[in-house]
Amino acid sequence: MLLLYVWFVAPEHSVFTTHVITTQAAGCTERDTSVHSITWLTTDCSRRNLSAVPTNLSSDTAVLDLKFNRLESVTRNDFKGLSRLKVLNLSFNQISTIELGTFARLPELSSLHLDHNSISCITNRCLG
């Protein structure tokens, strides 16, 4: 396990800290970032040659990056337990199918990236 702490001062003179942990979930990297009293967990699973969404992701994940993999579809169960997810990047995959209700259990989701996939049609029912 790799653990790295970084302290630095942002341009607005706000001090924030980051620590990086390499997880067992398909070799993804988790980064816990805090600014003042706000903390969020970013899980980077990009460029891992994944054909499926990893199943043992932290329920604290707020940002999930799955770009540049080999995903062909996403289902309701792929993001089960990730109710804190705010940003989901699925760009540059081979996604052609999104199961109905896939994003319905993601009440905090505010940013969804699906560009550069093979999606030909998407309906509101798919989004939740």
Side-chain angles (χ1 to χ4, degrees):
M1 179 184 294
L2 171 70
L3 182 60
L4 172 69
Y5 285 93
V6 180
W7 289 84
F8 55 97
V9 179
E12 299 166 358
H13 307 291
S14 302
V15 176
F16 60 99
T17 180
T18 301
H19 72 268
V20 179
I21 300 170
T22 302
T23 66
Q24 300 301 316
C28 300
T29 303
E30 289 183 343
R31 183 177 15 221
D32 195 5
T33 304
S34 298
V35 178
H36 299 290
S37 61
I38 301 170
T39 300
W40 66 92
L41 180 67
T42 299
T43 303
D44 183 359
C45 298
S46 64
R47 301 178 188 270
R48 301 291 197 282
N49 205 28
L50 300 174
S51 58
V53 176
T55 57
N56 55 345
L57 299 172
S58 171
S59 61
D60 291 330
T61 299
V63 178
L64 178 56
D65 189 351
L66 285 160
K67 69 180 174 273
F68 291 103
N69 280 294
R70 295 182 303 115
L71 304 176
E72 294 180 2
S73 65
V74 287
T75 69
R76 285 188 298 250
N77 293 325
D78 285 340
F79 308 106
K80 187 176 180 180
L82 298 179
S83 60
R84 295 182 181 175
L85 195 63
K86 296 179 184 325
V87 178
L88 177 58
N89 191 340
L90 295 166
S91 299
F92 295 94
N93 277 281
Q94 300 161 11
I95 298 171
S96 60
T97 306
I98 299 173
E99 185 177 15
L100 290 178
T102 294
F103 308 111
R105 295 184 206 150
L106 303 175
E108 300 291 322
L109 190 65
S110 59
S111 182
L112 175 62
H113 304 267
L114 290 167
D115 54 290
H116 295 89
N117 278 289
S118 301
I119 301 167
S120 60
C121 179
I122 192 164
T123 66
N124 287 341
R125 290 177 57 197
C126 290
L127 299 175

